[in-house]
Amino acid sequence: MRIAVSSDMDEPVARLVVDELRRRGHTVLAFGALRAGDRKGMRRGTELDGGVVAGDGWAWSAEAAAREVAAGRTEQAVVCCWTGTGASIAANKVAGVRAALCGDAYTARGARKWNDANVLALSLRLTSGALLSEILDAWFDAVASGHADVRANIEHVDSIGVADRASGGIADDASDEAHDGAPVGETVR
């Protein structure tokens, strides 16, 4: 399988993702700090606004990997940043991408099974080598559910951004009522 991998920082776990995917027989296309010439992030430990921050290229590198999936040039992607959150948000902005931030094997399995996730987002800070192996095992062992309710949810998720873009904002069918008929913000008893 062809898999795009991005990271805003050249961290050991990001390199381990690439190595582990190749060891499993996948072809890896690297982006961000993992590829010469791409936008580089800051070095780990760079302080900004009084706190330690990750690289500054997480949005660009995650978008690049996600676009490979959306264009069909890769079947999947793994996007990494310090927390994994920014990379998952950026990847999810690309139409056709369903990125899931997975910090454990159960979440990875569920993301593939119930969300048909095609992009795995990982935290450079929290993912150890052993945990990475467990997450990848679960990710690749799981298959998307064919259950009608699961498929309906996935189709709806895929249509959300399309409807918003077509209407120039909030989708026309957006409702201010909750699923149970109660107005949003009102307590249901």
Side-chain angles (χ1 to χ4, degrees), residues 39-182:
R39 182 182 174 101
K40 301 294 186 229
M42 292 180 270
R43 289 181 295 121
R44 181 173 42 138
T46 301
E47 287 194 29
L48 182 65
D49 297 331
V52 177
V53 298
D56 65 349
W58 54 266
W60 285 268
S61 62
E63 176 193 9
R67 289 203 182 282
E68 293 297 307
V69 174
R73 291 185 291 269
T74 64
E75 289 90 343
Q76 296 182 6
V78 179
V79 296
C80 306
C81 70
W82 194 241
T83 65
T85 306
S88 66
I89 291 169
N92 276 317
K93 293 289 187 176
V94 177
V97 168
R98 289 176 303 282
L101 175 55
C102 299
D104 58 72
Y106 182 84
T107 303
R109 183 175 292 107
R112 291 285 301 131
K113 183 176 178 180
W114 301 309
N115 309 123
D116 195 14
N118 51 14
V119 174
L120 171 62
L122 296 172
S123 166
L124 295 171
R125 178 179 173 266
L126 298 176
T127 308
S128 68
L131 183 56
L132 174 64
S133 183
E134 292 173 10
I135 290 170
L136 291 176
D137 286 345
W139 181 266
F140 290 118
D141 287 346
V143 295
S145 170
H147 192 277
D149 288 344
V150 171
R151 295 304 319 158
N153 274 297
I154 293 164
E155 289 169 12
H156 180 70
V157 166
D158 286 346
S159 73
I160 291 171
V162 174
D164 285 348
R165 282 189 294 281
S167 68
I170 297 174
D172 293 336
D173 63 347
S175 171
D176 63 348
E177 296 212 354
H179 222 41
D180 58 11

Side-chain angles (χ1 to χ4, degrees), residues 9-19 34 44 124 127 132:
M9 298 188 302
D10 189 359
E11 288 286 312
V13 72
R15 290 284 172 187
L16 187 57
V17 169
V18 171
D19 293 344
L34 301 174
R44 181 173 42 138
L124 295 171
T127 308
L132 174 64

